[in-house]
Amino acid sequence: MNDPRSEAARRRTFAIISHPDAGKTTLTEKFLLYGGVLTAGAGAVKAKGGGRSATSDWMELEQQRGISITSTVLQFPYRDRVLNLLDTPGHRDFSEDTYRVLAATDAAIMVLDGSKGIEAQTRKLFEVCRDREIPIVTFINKWDRPALDPLALLDEIEEQLILEPVPISWPVGDGGRFRGLIDRTSGDFIRYTRTARGASEAPEEVVDAHRAEAEEGDLWIEAQEGVELFDTIGREFESKRFESGELSPVFFGSALTNFGVRLILDAMVDLVPSPSPRIDEIGNPRPLEDPFSGIVFKIQANMDKAHRDRVAFMRVCSGRFERGMVVTHGPTGKPFTTKYAHSVSGRDRETVEEAYPGDVVGLVNANDFRVGDAVFVDSPVKWPAVPAFAPSHFRVARTTDTSRAKQFRSGINQLDEEGVVQVLREPGVGDQAPILAAVGPLQFDVCQHRLENEFGAPVELNPCAWTTARITDEESADKLRGMTGVTIAARSDGELLALFESPYWLQRLEVDQPELVLDKLIAEG
Ligand code: G4P
């Protein structure tokens, strides 16, 4: 049996965040290529033109819209390490889901499009990382196309994100003249050769500075000037500041042609910290060698039609997980036998026999499990609560076919448990017309689609006038109930929410009646 501490030291668990189209899917695919998991042409992470099947596009809706909604976990070997890549939804409406996934990662790669720089969703996802103090590695992609000036891009990171960029590689040329990268650590030039469709690793030639200058001329000299600028101001990588989220190592490259992919994977191994003891609810770290414990960070049901069941994704925090072991579900105290433990990559499932800190296991039919829950053996643990985001979009849901009321109710409960939306109920109205509360309106499309397709309950989602929600208590709720423009509804975790039609009315109330409890939910960024 392996020691959990040394196994944890071999692991790196991270996510990729990016604005849609910056190249997250392509980079993921290339990681699998370099990890030896995808062989040339054997498959693609994303279906291109509807031809090949998708590894990470699970739901029909995702395919229709061409976006990634669900989260995937991919595990692949690189050098002598095990890399766990947690996919995050690309669309801004799913930032709450991203937030939960980031609760289970140790680092993130922020992918930027070299011709666009920081885009709206990059900033938003970055803020989620900053909130969680997650170290960020930056990858500036698509350098095989005409790109912005590298210095301007680094300035943008520094000024807009208040994050100190430290270039580790530097591009020599761009667009059709993109030759390769200067490895700032060694000073060498890495010259790449393109392969057909980037289907195999890009051959690399390491060239020393003298030869590079002779062979690449102006392109080399220009790149060298950029590097020297950072050398002169002493901008070096510092692991402490990286780990606290103040500084980001920056890599340039092209996921499409595989230029720079190896360097960024090396950075995941050499710069990103391995899993460390997780802090429990009262602030104590749970040592890695303690008995097994894990945190549930995502619930996903009916991922595809071949497996109509519910999977709770759990990150191992301490000890060794072994399939078949009986774990305790913290909140209920009930035992759960982990007979069906999977690693889940898109549609493909493989049984997991054992897992160590940093790994993710999908537990099938763990029906009581919710996001944030602790599972353990022997010594109990409780993790700090995963906060819910402030919803700003609301709909009242009703089934249009009363004979499907039961299916409607179970569908709503399922979506609630998965956190697809927050489900609120007004006392007296109850189950026939729950209020769905979301960060972004696309969440409603997912609800409607799943209620109709998975549960056979046709629904109408009626717009409502509320724009803002606050958490309140029983005493304040009694007072608020009598006021116009305010509705009190209960969330399934027991919290009472006050829903306001007008933010100005809420502001006035906060000034006029400061004794009322009107707590903010976490900002959506
Ligand atoms: P995403 O997951 O972040 O949304 O981005 P994705 O990887 O799907 O990439 C979006 C588009 O950008 C794709 O083109 C992809 O081929 C292209 N792309 C990704 N990385 C690079 C790169 O390094 N260089 C260049 N030139 N293009 C890149 P598409 O036209 O939308 O799809 P496809 O028809 O090419 O498959």
Side-chain angles (χ1 to χ4, degrees):
M1 187 171 112
N2 299 336
D3 152 44
R5 245 194 328 186
S6 51
E7 285 296 328
R10 288 180 59 220
R11 274 146 173 92
R12 301 291 183 272
T13 301
F14 61 99
I16 302 182
I17 58 167
S18 71
H19 190 86
D21 263 5
K24 186 176 69 167
T25 315
T26 311
L27 188 63
T28 303
E29 196 174 318
K30 298 316 171 75
F31 282 174
L32 299 182
L33 176 72
Y34 276 71
V37 179
L38 265 192
T39 46
V45 171
K46 188 173 176 180
K48 301 290 183 191
R52 283 167 291 177
S53 76
T55 304
S56 84
D57 287 355
W58 280 329
M59 296 161 64
E60 275 172 57
L61 188 71
E62 287 181 295
Q63 286 159 12
Q64 283 163 17
R65 291 191 178 249
I67 53 169
S68 172
I69 298 168
T70 45
S71 298
T72 320
V73 185
L74 297 168
Q75 187 179 68
F76 58 97
Y78 184 72
R79 292 177 17 195
D80 56 345
R81 305 299 154 97
V82 177
L83 271 51
N84 292 307
L85 169 56
L86 277 59
D87 191 14
T88 52
H91 195 282
R92 59 184 293 275
D93 285 6
F94 299 99
S95 47
E96 185 166 18
D97 197 26
T98 302
Y99 194 89
R100 298 188 202 118
V101 172
L102 291 174
T105 66
D106 298 320
I109 300 178
M110 173 169 75
V111 179
L112 305 182
D113 181 329
S115 67
K116 297 193 173 135
I118 293 161
E119 297 176 84
Q121 182 65 357
T122 329
R123 192 173 297 113
K124 205 168 153 117
L125 288 167
F126 167 77
E127 273 156 18
V128 176
C129 290
R130 164 149 291 167
D131 205 51
R132 302 203 69 95
E133 293 180 7
I134 289 175
I136 302 224
V137 174
T138 304
F139 182 65
I140 306 186
N141 190 28
K142 302 198 186 183
W143 215 260
D144 58 304
R145 287 216 190 126
L148 299 171
D149 174 11
L151 283 174
L153 283 162
L154 297 176
D155 272 354
E156 211 174 279
I157 295 170
E158 184 140 20
E159 278 164 24
Q160 294 195 22
L161 305 182
I162 325 288
L163 177 69
E164 191 178 298
V166 179
I168 308 288
S169 70
W170 195 275
V172 177
D174 70 341
R177 300 199 309 158
F178 182 30
R179 300 268 196 274
L181 298 163
I182 298 177
D183 178 351
R184 239 188 110 209
T185 325
S186 64
D188 287 333
F189 172 46
I190 304 172
R191 185 159 45 203
Y192 295 93
T193 308
R194 292 182 193 220
T195 60
R197 300 182 311 281
S200 53
E201 293 185 22
E204 297 177 16
E205 186 191 0
V206 179
V207 177
D208 66 40
H210 285 297
R211 220 182 101 202
E213 185 171 346
E215 291 172 5
E216 302 296 345
D218 287 350
L219 289 182
W220 171 261
I221 292 167
E222 202 183 314
Q224 199 57 40
E225 281 168 7
V227 170
E228 276 164 16
L229 189 70
F230 282 87
D231 290 347
T232 316
I233 60 169
R235 189 64 73 82
E236 298 298 338
F237 179 78
E238 295 166 61
S239 51
K240 272 218 167 62
R241 295 183 62 224
F242 166 56
E243 286 170 29
S244 64
E246 288 169 67
L247 163 163
S248 176
V250 179
F251 295 81
F252 292 83
S254 155
L256 194 70
T257 60
N258 302 334
F259 290 19
V261 171
R262 186 181 57 77
L263 285 184
I264 193 147
L265 276 174
D266 284 341
M268 300 324 285
V269 168
D270 298 331
L271 308 183
V272 164
S274 58
S276 57
R278 194 173 188 91
I279 308 295
D280 70 10
E281 196 188 38
I282 50 168
N284 293 329
R286 178 156 175 126
L288 295 168
E289 62 276 22
D290 261 22
F292 161 77
S293 67
I295 181 168
V296 177
F297 66 94
K298 176 151 187 82
I299 306 288
Q300 179 87 55
N302 307 332
M303 283 195 297
D304 81 70
K305 287 180 179 146
H307 304 281
R308 274 204 177 274
D309 48 20
R310 185 177 186 278
V311 181
F313 289 93
M314 173 196 72
R315 175 186 158 129
V316 178
C317 302
S318 66
R320 175 175 180 266
F321 172 86
E322 197 185 327
R323 188 172 71 88
M325 82 194 317
V326 179
V327 297
T328 304
H329 173 234
T332 59
K334 285 190 200 162
F336 177 79
T337 307
T338 57
K339 190 171 163 202
Y340 300 105
H342 293 281
S343 69
V344 184
S345 304
R347 292 178 199 283
D348 306 324
R349 287 186 181 187
E350 274 172 43
T351 302
V352 165
E353 293 301 336
E354 59 169 16
Y356 292 95
D359 290 344
V360 171
V361 177
L363 296 174
V364 179
N365 290 335
N367 293 333
D368 291 334
F369 289 26
R370 303 280 180 279
V371 170
D373 286 357
V375 274
F376 51 79
V377 294
D378 300 340
S379 55
V381 67
K382 212 171 165 191
W383 308 119
V386 178
F389 270 34
S392 48
H393 299 267
F394 303 86
R395 299 280 186 277
V396 172
R398 280 192 184 81
T399 178
T400 51
D401 177 352
T402 45
S403 72
R404 308 295 292 170
K406 200 171 141 221
Q407 288 79 358
F408 173 72
R409 271 200 303 276
S410 68
I412 291 283
N413 287 340
Q414 179 62 45
L415 298 176
D416 190 14
E417 284 172 15
E418 285 182 38
V420 176
V421 277
Q422 295 177 38
V423 177
L424 314 176
R425 292 179 174 89
E426 275 183 85
V429 179
D431 277 352
Q432 293 93 47
I435 301 165
L436 309 185
V439 175
L442 203 54
Q443 285 173 263
F444 299 132
D445 292 1
V446 176
C447 288
Q448 180 149 17
H449 181 89
R450 292 190 55 188
L451 285 168
E452 292 180 355
N453 290 281
E454 281 168 33
F455 297 91
V459 284
E460 56 182 25
L461 300 180
N462 298 310
C464 337
W466 305 301
T467 57
T468 314
R470 289 294 161 89
I471 291 183
T472 188
D473 64 4
E474 288 287 357
E475 199 181 322
S476 300
D478 279 344
K479 292 185 188 141
L480 291 162
R481 272 193 190 99
M483 300 178 189
T484 46
V486 192
T487 300
I488 301 294
R491 210 164 59 186
S492 50
D493 62 358
E495 292 283 9
L496 282 178
L497 265 67
L499 310 180
F500 291 86
E501 292 179 14
S502 153
Y504 308 109
W505 171 232
L506 167 63
Q507 276 169 20
R508 218 182 96 193
L509 208 58
E510 283 175 323
V511 175
D512 292 352
Q513 301 195 42
E515 73 285 1
L516 289 174
V517 173
L518 291 167
D519 293 338
K520 279 188 184 164
L521 286 99
I522 183 168
E524 64 139 318

